[in-house]
Amino acid sequence: MPGTVLLLAASPMGRGRLVDAASVLPVLAAVAPDVLAGTDTANVVELADPLEPQAVLTRLRAAAAAPGPLTVFVTGQLQLDRRQHLPHLALARTTPATVRYTAFPWHWIREELRLRPSGTTALVVDLHADAETWQHLRSTPLDSGRSNPVHGRIAPPPARRTLAAPSYMKAVATVLRSGHRPPLDQLHQGVVARLGEEMAGDILLTAPAVTGGDPHAAISAAVQAGRHAEADALAAEWEQTAVRAYGPGAEDALHWTEVRADLAMFAGDPVRSCRTWLAVASARLAAGQSADAPAVEAAVDRAHHQWGRIEDPARARELGPALAELRLRVPGRRQGALDHIQQQLRQLQTQG
């Protein structure tokens, strides 16, 4: 099965730039696609200094939907948004004051990759952090998802008026240009040994993959085989187990409800997916989570996306008012989202 590789290099233009991230892309692009992916054949998608977080999300979502192995190479710098102090990958237009709207939230990576089969996804990262983010990451690890092994490093900010080089990722590319991709843990260890003292003080990322007992692996395998009812039944069992153990509003229970919402999407049932995401958003708000909490925004955004895919006007009219009510409370990051729903509802009133 062909592999997929996403090469993402991003850093701000102007004085806020800490690292020359895009300089690594020509070096990585010189590596054969099959070596980058560790498969016989591969598709490579390259993003160089993208401007919009939604554009990055679109490419990441497409890569995550590919059935074969996926490797994501990320080079750039991390910054915190000032409202929630969540790590974001700074993009070309990002400034300290606009992180929330112009940078790519790191938790979107976790969200988009979470239902991929266990053992098929890996991240290789070379990241620099500004001073505030560096202090944050010393006590709060970067969360890339429970089933996505991450190899790489996070470096502290360079000296003032100094532009750092993505030396870790360039060393990765140098090793891969030999024509062979070793297991990523061996590749990481070799790069660390090659760079030596240059990486002293960096945060090294060597997260192991999840074990084979992970229920997500069985669910993902069922989805890949087209056994959507079986996948939903498995997730429903885990959802009920979590509800009995922790209560319906607990994070473990809501996680499995979210999995079922995604499974409905994979099964081509946008009505059920939309309704489930609306329930998740309402439950999170009822539990006291803020309207701009990442999990709340994600639930409403996904409900909105699935609502737009409903072809039956009657079912869309049924769910539209609940979505509009939630959008009023959770406007999200895309301007005009509520206006879009209201406009679509007006059009639906004229349809049979």
Side-chain angles (χ1 to χ4, degrees):
M1 189 172 292
T4 300
V5 175
L6 179 60
L7 305 178
L8 171 56
S11 53
M13 296 182 283
R15 291 183 300 174
R17 175 173 290 206
L18 301 178
V19 58
D20 184 12
S23 67
V24 78
L25 288 175
V27 191
L28 283 170
V31 179
D34 58 320
V35 177
L36 282 172
T39 56
D40 290 338
T41 60
N43 302 308
V44 178
V45 178
E46 182 177 306
L47 285 174
D49 279 330
L51 299 177
E52 300 293 341
Q54 290 294 330
V56 179
L57 179 61
T58 298
R59 296 297 183 89
L60 177 63
R61 186 167 288 166
L70 170 65
T71 309
V72 182
F73 294 85
V74 184
T75 308
Q77 69 187 62
L78 295 174
Q79 293 179 223
L80 297 179
D81 74 280
R82 290 180 172 175
R83 290 179 63 180
Q84 296 176 295
H85 299 283
L86 293 171
H88 287 57
L89 183 71
L91 302 184
R93 294 174 177 165
T94 300
T95 66
T98 65
V99 169
R100 177 171 165 79
Y101 302 100
T102 62
F104 187 79
W106 192 263
H107 60 266
W108 284 7
I109 294 177
R110 179 189 67 227
E111 289 293 323
E112 293 305 319
L113 301 182
R114 65 195 176 120
L115 269 190
R116 285 185 52 81
S118 180
T120 65
T121 310
L123 288 92
V124 181
V125 304
D126 186 351
L127 302 168
H128 284 71
D130 64 12
E132 182 184 11
T133 310
W134 178 252
Q135 290 303 319
H136 173 83
L137 292 173
R138 298 302 295 267
S139 58
T140 307
L142 196 64
D143 183 2
S144 304
R146 67 180 76 192
S147 60
N148 306 315
V150 184
H151 297 87
R153 63 94 176 254
I154 305 173
R160 288 191 64 186
R161 298 186 178 86
T162 301
L163 193 62
S167 52
Y168 176 91
M169 197 67 78
K170 287 184 176 180
V172 166
T174 299
V175 173
L176 295 179
R177 286 175 69 178
S178 67
H180 168 66
R181 183 177 119 166
L184 289 181
D185 57 341
Q186 294 180 23
L187 175 63
H188 171 76
Q189 292 167 12
V191 168
V192 171
R194 178 185 291 248
L195 295 178
E197 286 300 312
E198 184 179 338
M199 296 184 66
D202 291 356
I203 297 173
L204 300 183
L205 305 173
T206 56
V210 74
T211 62
D214 178 30
H216 297 79
I219 292 169
S220 295
V223 171
Q224 295 290 332
R227 302 192 304 272
H228 297 288
E230 177 186 330
D232 185 65
L234 285 169
E237 289 181 16
W238 283 94
E239 181 185 37
Q240 288 305 310
T241 299
V243 168
R244 287 192 296 269
Y246 308 110
E251 192 60 40
D252 273 19
L254 288 174
H255 166 74
W256 287 109
T257 309
E258 291 176 343
V259 168
R260 298 188 70 193
D262 277 337
L263 292 175
M265 174 191 68
F266 291 139
D269 189 346
V271 173
R272 181 159 56 94
S273 183
C274 176
R275 184 178 286 117
T276 307
W277 280 119
L278 290 173
V280 169
S282 298
R284 289 191 177 282
L285 289 168
Q289 296 185 25
S290 65
D292 62 356
V296 175
E297 286 188 341
V300 179
D301 287 347
R302 287 166 182 258
H304 191 163
H305 182 261
Q306 290 299 296
W307 183 70
R309 300 198 164 216
I310 298 173
E311 296 180 355
D312 182 348
R315 306 302 291 275
R317 282 196 297 268
E318 173 194 344
L319 293 172
L323 177 61
E325 182 180 343
L326 270 174
R327 263 298 180 219
L328 194 61
R329 299 177 64 186
V330 186
R333 300 178 184 230
R334 302 192 70 172
Q335 293 184 348
L338 178 59
D339 291 340
H340 171 263
I341 297 169
Q342 293 170 336
Q343 180 184 358
Q344 290 295 108
L345 279 173
R346 286 192 293 269
Q347 292 179 0
L348 287 167
Q349 299 305 323
T350 65
Q351 300 178 25

